[in-house]
Amino acid sequence: IVFVLINAEKKGYAVDKSILNSAVLFLQKYLKEPHKDEYSYILESISFINYVSSLAGKGDRSLSKLLLEKKDSLSIRGKGFLALSLAIQRRVDDYKKDKDITDLMDSFRNSMEITTQKIMFREEVSGAYRRAFYTKGSALAAVLTCYMRLDADNPLIPGMVKHIIDSRANSFWGDTHSIAFLSMALDEYREKYEKKGEGKITGKVSINSKEIFSNYFPANSISLFTGTKSFDELYAIGKEETDYPLVFNMQGSGRLYYTASMQYFPSAAETLPRDQGLEVRRIIYDLTTADENNPFGKEVKKSLKRGEVYLCKLIVVNPKPYYNAIIVDPIPSTVEIINTAFATEKGSLGAYETKQSGANYWWAYSNPLIEYRDDMVIITENYLSPGMHEYTYLIRPVIKGKAGIPSLNAKLMYEPEIFGRTGKRVIDVK
């Protein structure tokens, strides 16, 4: 409540000073004799109270010293509140000027999971931390606030913001504490970096000092520009096998957000397996050989029998959370996909297929969208939790002869540099 009142006052709302001062006094009394509870609960609560007291101008340096001695028992959120408290008490606006704050900021970096566009944090807490209203959303908001106030030019800040925005459909936005802290952090981000840029902006992109793209963004609008250059056009800009910087420039105030990627297709004869953040495998099983020990039957590697039913299992392994993944599995020209929803197929075969979830709850980690096309299966996932994911579908060989099986591919739709693929192989239908 005190935290809300202090921030409301900063936003220009009328706050009764006597009530605020009485509430701060109550917190200070609590600090002198906290209720008996689990150690982690008390430390988490004290860290937040210390931050709130510091915002009210009543910070306790001796309390901050105690928390520094116990920092290894604090969560990421608790460390964030401590860093912010120290910055207020010591009047620090750059973490490099204070060793204690530097150590806390270093601990944040050690907990980061970084992709090309998002910054995440891996931390598992339970028990008393949960009772102290710990949430991953409030932890990320505390760290983001630390970076904005103590390392304002850090290039990782937009990645944290992007992760917050992209996670609206997942657990970050499932509880009121996360929503409140994240909303306040995003508001501070907008005030600090974006609000001054509500005027017109011109963005330019150049290679080898030659402008390749330019776009005018009008005032008070949200607009997107996308440009593409072919390899032939790029080769005309400079010498082959020479590195040139890709330079983004902006005229105006505010922030220009950009991303760049290269799209290419390897020749079929040279396709080799790759693991660029996603490990993928495809296994084909002969259902006619299924038994108690092998419920899907034996693995098939070289030949299939025309007219039989086979099960394809796709395995995707990711070491960290990913968003907006797409898995594309092209099929050989000699087989067809079996859709058990059709009346012409045996309904009992449906037990072997991965089912598309009809529910779309915020707490659901996986809700695959599965498309059967004439020549491929496409699976999209809004969110892939860390670990191994399996998908199954059925095929039937219909034409005799040898045919190539194209690579199984998985990638992130908005971060295509994170991908995985299998190698090419040949299958013989007899």
Side-chain angles (χ1 to χ4, degrees):
I1 291 172
V2 175
F3 181 65
V4 172
L5 291 175
I6 292 172
N7 282 281
E9 188 176 42
K10 288 182 178 179
K11 285 290 185 180
Y13 290 92
V15 174
D16 190 318
K17 276 290 188 180
S18 63
I19 293 177
L20 179 58
N21 292 335
S22 296
V24 172
L25 182 61
F26 172 85
L27 293 178
Q28 290 177 318
K29 288 181 178 179
Y30 172 85
L31 291 175
K32 294 178 181 178
E33 195 173 344
H35 302 307
K36 292 183 179 180
D37 209 308
E38 292 184 46
Y39 192 64
S40 54
Y41 175 88
I42 294 174
L43 280 180
E44 282 291 301
S45 300
I46 288 177
S47 180
F48 184 46
I49 293 173
N50 186 43
Y51 173 45
V52 173
S53 299
S54 299
L55 288 173
K58 304 291 184 179
D60 188 335
R61 291 175 179 264
S62 61
L63 184 59
S64 296
K65 183 179 179 181
L66 171 65
L67 290 169
L68 280 171
E69 294 172 356
K70 308 295 183 182
K71 64 181 179 182
D72 291 339
S73 298
L74 290 172
S75 69
I76 289 177
R77 184 190 67 172
K79 292 176 183 177
F81 290 149
L82 176 56
L84 293 170
S85 301
L86 291 171
I88 296 171
Q89 294 167 12
R90 300 175 182 180
R91 299 183 179 180
V92 174
D93 58 4
D94 184 345
Y95 79 97
K96 302 184 191 71
K97 298 177 180 178
D98 188 287
K99 183 182 182 306
D100 292 328
I101 300 178
T102 298
D103 290 342
L104 291 168
M105 297 288 280
D106 287 343
S107 72
F108 300 152
R109 279 192 289 271
N110 292 337
S111 301
M112 286 182 180
E113 295 284 349
I114 301 175
T115 68
T116 55
Q117 295 193 36
K118 299 186 186 75
I119 310 297
M120 299 166 278
F121 291 87
R122 178 172 292 180
E123 181 181 41
E124 296 297 330
V125 301
S126 59
Y129 289 101
R130 294 290 188 190
R131 290 196 299 104
F133 299 103
Y134 173 93
T135 64
K136 290 184 178 180
S138 60
L140 179 54
V143 175
L144 174 58
T145 304
C146 285
Y147 274 91
M148 289 190 293
R149 296 181 186 177
L150 302 171
D151 193 12
D153 296 325
N154 194 300
L156 299 178
I157 292 175
M160 296 184 214
V161 172
K162 181 168 177 52
H163 181 46
I164 292 170
I165 297 298
D166 289 346
S167 300
R168 282 179 296 178
N170 290 285
S171 58
F172 272 179
W173 299 85
D175 63 271
T176 54
H177 277 71
S178 291
I179 293 171
F181 279 109
L182 290 171
S183 297
M184 293 179 69
L186 291 177
D187 180 67
E188 183 170 336
Y189 177 82
R190 179 180 177 275
E191 290 288 329
K192 188 176 184 69
Y193 299 101
E194 293 183 335
K195 190 172 182 180
K196 61 183 180 181
E198 291 180 344
K200 58 185 180 180
I201 293 176
T202 299
K204 297 182 179 181
V205 186
S206 61
I207 299 177
N208 193 22
S209 301
K210 298 178 181 178
E211 185 179 301
I212 58 173
F213 298 115
S214 179
N215 189 68
Y216 169 76
F217 299 93
N220 300 310
S221 68
I222 297 175
S223 56
L224 176 70
F225 169 80
T226 302
T228 304
K229 290 289 183 181
S230 68
F231 281 107
D232 289 337
E233 291 174 306
L234 292 175
Y235 288 143
I237 294 174
K239 297 179 181 179
E240 291 187 27
E241 300 184 5
T242 303
D243 292 336
Y244 297 105
L246 181 65
V247 179
F248 290 80
N249 287 311
M250 182 189 76
Q251 294 176 347
S253 59
R255 288 216 142 175
L256 176 71
Y257 297 95
Y258 61 85
T259 185
S261 62
M262 181 177 69
Q263 295 181 333
Y264 66 96
F265 299 92
S267 64
E270 299 175 354
T271 303
L272 298 173
R274 290 287 297 274
D275 177 354
Q276 293 294 118
L278 285 168
E279 178 188 347
V280 295
R281 284 179 285 160
R282 179 204 293 118
I283 304 174
I284 301 176
Y285 293 100
D286 182 357
L287 289 176
T288 63
T289 63
D291 55 32
E292 187 175 333
N293 296 323
N294 301 289
F296 295 149
K298 296 180 180 179
E299 182 180 349
V300 179
K301 294 185 177 180
K302 293 184 179 180
S303 62
L304 306 176
K305 186 177 179 181
R306 185 180 176 211
E308 298 290 349
V309 176
Y310 295 85
L311 181 138
C312 287
K313 178 189 283 188
L314 311 181
I315 300 174
V316 179
V317 182
N318 51 296
K320 59 184 69 174
Y322 286 144
Y323 294 86
N324 302 308
I326 182 168
I327 303 154
V328 180
D329 189 23
I331 64 171
S333 58
T334 53
V335 308
E336 67 178 6
I337 298 170
I338 297 176
N339 190 339
T340 59
F342 293 162
T344 53
E345 300 293 351
K346 290 183 179 179
S348 59
L349 291 174
Y352 293 103
E353 294 177 317
T354 295
K355 298 299 181 183
Q356 178 175 312
S357 173
N360 189 23
Y361 304 118
W362 63 263
W363 59 80
Y365 281 110
S366 179
N367 182 28
L369 175 66
I370 303 171
E371 300 178 54
Y372 290 160
R373 300 189 179 180
D374 289 339
D375 56 351
M376 68 182 68
V377 173
I378 300 177
I379 302 167
T380 55
E381 289 271 23
N382 289 332
Y383 175 73
L384 282 178
S385 58
M388 183 172 72
H389 308 269
E390 296 183 352
Y391 310 91
T392 55
Y393 67 95
L394 302 168
I395 60 171
R396 179 188 291 114
V398 292
I399 301 174
K400 293 182 179 180
K402 293 183 178 181
I405 303 181
S407 296
L408 162 66
N409 292 273
K411 68 176 182 179
L412 304 188
M413 284 183 274
Y414 304 111
E415 297 172 82
E417 62 276 11
I418 298 176
F419 70 93
R421 69 168 181 251
T422 61
K424 179 189 175 185
R425 53 188 276 207
V426 175
I427 202 81
D428 187 11
V429 175
K430 297 183 178 181

